[in-house]
Amino acid sequence: MASNWTLQLHSVSFQPYVWVRKPPALAGVSQLGIGYECAGIGYGRLSFIWNRHRIGRKFLIKSAEGSGSTDSGRNVEDDEILVKSGTGGVASKDYIGKMQEMIISSPAGVLLMNKCAGNGLATGICVVTACLAIVARVYLMGKSRNNHSGSVADLVRRGQLRSDRRGISKPLKYNDPFNNPLVKVDKSNSSVQMCGKVYRLAPVTLTKEEQSIHQKRRSRAYQWKRPTMFLKEGDSIPPDVDPDTIRWIPANHPFATTASDIDEDLAQNNVYQKHGVPFRIQAEHEALQRKLEALQNEQKLNNLFIDPGSVKDFERPFKSKSKSDEQHRNPEVCCINRISLQSFVVNTHHEVSY
Amino acid sequence: MRSLQLLPNPFFFNSFHAKTLTSPIPNPKSFSRSPSFTPVKSVLQWNRKPELAGDTPRVVVITSGKGGVGKTTTTANVGISLARLGFSVVAIDADVGLRNLDLLLGLENRVNYTVVEVLNGDCRLDQALVRDKRWSNFELLCISKPRSKLPIGFGGKALVWLVDALKARQEGSPDFIIIDCPAGIDAGFITAITPANEAILVTTPDITSLRDADRVTGLLECDGIRDIKMMVNRVRTDMIKGEDMMSVLDVQEMLGLALLGVIPEDSEVIRSTNRGYPLVLNKPPTLAGLAFEQAAWRLVEQDSMTAVMVEEEPKKRGFFSFFGG
């Protein structure tokens, strides 16, 4: 409560200080007059000023009773102490009655009171609107403060980065900037007017002779042959190769390698290929095809090999019985049989092996 | 962007109008202009279509030596400008280790196959070409995926094969094949310059970039690429005026190369990079975007700048200027 009072004193009420500094005898009238002018803003202010008046009066009474000092600076100080201590809100009833009488007896105050009462609804709406605006602003400020400026989200929000739709935008039509009226050359070609400002033009003075001089200088300075052979560090130089045309590629080069798993001619054919399935896709496809065929052939062979056995499968009770007998007699043979039969039909696997 | 547009831009001055000033650099290759050509009033040559000079496909490598000077930005913007001018363009990102051209073009999600896959036979060349949906005559080809290694033994040859294969395409040869060269003079540089007939040297007006540019120019000339033009990037007139930066003419004096374009420093470059949307497509046009467009124009016509703007003249005030006239 006390802190609230302090806040209000600083933020809202500017009149009470003036009013405290006045001599106590005149304070009642002058304070009220000012207070009601302020109260035109709203009832809250009116009640507040009323309380302040009571506080001021109480202080004045106390100060008169205590030290008897009438120093205005001290009055303010004591007033603040009184407010902070929380005792200022309590005022004697007779004093309120006196004050009300004073208000009623004051014709200007009565007029203002009546005026305020007439505009109450409009004032209330204004106050509520103002409060709502303040709350909304505070909310928005807090929200914008929470956003990390410079982040990707912020860039996207500001339209500087379109992560969601990169590369998609309305293209500029070619004919659009034709004949820019902002850029004109004067008749003598010595200056140009651009965007309302005139610029001096300087001709390029480079001549063909100077260009050739520069070329000669560079040809003397930089002797270079384009490398035609790339060797890994540690490889031996072939006998018929100019060492100047060799580029040494380190083994751990980040993006270049001398090793290639593909033939040069084949690579060239791949580049030139216009239609059909690409080479590697074709090769992989063919390899898979061959593998599948091989598997199928193998299965056929297996089928052929175990065909007699599979025929025997139809005689399950007999086979299982004979097998159990064999198992008892010769466990090694049984084991071999089991392995050879593992590639057999899965459905019959268990029945065959066990 | 509008505020930027109001700023003066001294970098677009086209050679066509400046030819009356001086004619120091004859074009390396003669080309015919259309007889129906009408002189334009505007410095920016927008109200006519440029005429393609030279034999197609024009294989242009964009290189610099030094990193971070704007090779990839130049490739993307010049490439898209050429496509906007109506020419079919294939841009090859030959930066094997650190490719970024797909990001600048906003095509990173569409790169499934690269040249390495083409060489290995995992896909055909036409499957590796990424067609831009905005300008269908612009295609992107990346040389490798970031984590894969290029068999460098035939890296340069592979690009020559690619150019030959593009020439022999059913839909016709592209007009321009633009190769984005990696920084440095390593194996990637050698691979990138192998199929090129002409080169654009991108440099900034600082001594480190100029030294590298001079060396790279020497290597290109040793390799037999004679048609080299330079593009001076990130130029700031305020710093030039304060003598804190070399002027474009100083740069030209040091390197002795023909000027293809002068690109001003522009914050829109960063913005467009983040958007994955080349600068030249911005609406309204930006300063750097317009400069790139003019450079593309000169590239088509094998032209070069013959005049640059140096400083602002005080505006002539009339008698009634005192009254606001």
Side-chain angles (χ1 to χ4, degrees), chain A residues 19-20 51-61 79:
Chain A
W19 153 55
V20 165
N51 288 338
R52 289 286 300 135
H53 183 76
R54 283 186 294 177
I55 293 156
R57 293 296 287 190
K58 188 175 180 183
F59 154 69
L60 289 170
I61 291 160
D79 181 21

Side-chain angles (χ1 to χ4, degrees), chain A residues 155 158-163 165-185 188-208 210-211 214-219 221-228 230 247 249-268 270-282 284, chain B residues 5-9 12-13 17 20-22 24-25 41-44 46-48 50 84-85 96-97 103 106 108 118-127 134-135 148-154 157 161-162 164-165 168 170 185-190 193-194 214-215 217-219 221-223 226 249 252-258 271 273-277 280-283 285 297 305-313 315:
Chain A
L155 286 170
R158 285 188 289 171
Q160 290 173 347
L161 181 65
R162 294 180 187 173
S163 62
R165 45 196 284 267
R166 280 172 55 80
I168 305 165
S169 183
K170 192 181 171 186
L172 182 65
K173 299 288 180 199
Y174 174 69
N175 288 339
D176 198 33
F178 272 18
N179 200 11
N180 190 343
L182 292 172
V183 185
K184 299 284 180 190
V185 186
S188 61
N189 278 337
S190 61
S191 63
V192 61
Q193 187 177 358
M194 299 179 88
C195 307
K197 289 185 178 179
V198 182
Y199 283 87
R200 191 169 62 82
L201 291 173
V204 169
T205 53
L206 187 75
T207 59
K208 199 175 181 181
E210 284 174 350
Q211 269 187 293
H214 275 284
Q215 280 185 1
K216 282 174 189 168
R217 174 184 61 81
R218 277 192 287 263
S219 67
Y222 310 118
Q223 299 291 330
W224 187 63
K225 282 180 186 173
R226 183 199 289 178
T228 51
F230 295 88
R247 192 85 181 180
I249 304 293
N252 62 345
H253 197 284
F255 60 81
T257 177
T258 53
S260 175
D261 57 344
I262 194 161
D263 184 29
E264 190 172 322
D265 294 332
L266 193 58
Q268 189 174 3
N270 290 337
V271 173
Y272 287 147
Q273 188 181 2
K274 288 180 187 170
H275 306 288
V277 183
F279 164 75
R280 183 163 290 204
I281 307 295
Q282 180 92 37
E284 282 177 2
Chain B
Q5 212 182 3
L6 292 172
L7 289 171
N9 178 24
F12 309 140
F13 193 69
H17 290 273
T20 51
L21 286 170
T22 53
I25 308 166
K41 295 290 181 188
S42 172
V43 170
L44 297 175
W46 277 320
N47 50 359
R48 70 180 181 91
R84 284 182 64 213
L85 293 168
V96 188
L103 278 174
E108 71 275 9
V118 175
L119 291 170
N120 289 336
D122 290 325
C123 70
R124 294 191 310 272
L125 176 59
D126 60 311
Q127 292 172 318
R134 295 163 292 199
W135 299 97
S148 63
K149 285 193 174 187
L150 183 75
I152 211 76
F154 45 88
K157 287 178 195 171
W161 301 336
L162 282 171
D164 290 342
Q170 273 188 334
I185 48 173
D186 201 1
F189 169 77
I190 296 158
I193 67 166
T194 305
D214 192 58
R215 180 156 173 75
T217 311
L219 301 184
E221 284 169 350
C222 288
D223 198 51
R226 296 281 168 180
L249 294 178
Q252 194 177 33
E253 197 181 333
M254 286 181 76
L255 292 178
L257 293 171
R271 195 170 291 171
T273 304
N274 286 335
R275 282 179 180 169
Y277 200 73
V280 290
L281 298 180
N282 273 9
K283 190 178 179 180
W297 194 291
M305 294 175 84
T306 51
V308 290
M309 242 175 289
V310 282
E311 61 183 12
E312 188 182 351
E313 277 186 351
K315 200 172 182 180

Side-chain angles (χ1 to χ4, degrees), chain A residues 65-111:
Chain A
E65 284 173 0
S67 64
S69 171
T70 55
D71 183 53
S72 61
R74 185 161 169 76
N75 287 356
V76 173
E77 192 182 330
D78 288 347
D79 181 21
E80 283 178 5
I81 291 163
L82 187 66
V83 168
K84 280 177 185 173
S85 66
T87 56
V90 183
S92 62
K93 283 184 181 178
D94 57 344
Y95 183 70
I96 292 168
K98 278 182 185 176
M99 287 305 299
Q100 282 174 344
E101 282 172 15
M102 284 171 73
I103 293 161
I104 292 160
S105 64
S106 170
V110 170
L111 281 172

Side-chain angles (χ1 to χ4, degrees), chain B residues 168-187:
Chain B
R169 279 203 305 187
Q170 273 188 334
E171 56 263 43
S173 167
D175 297 316
F176 286 91
I177 297 172
I178 301 176
I179 302 169
D180 182 23
C181 184
I185 48 173
D186 201 1

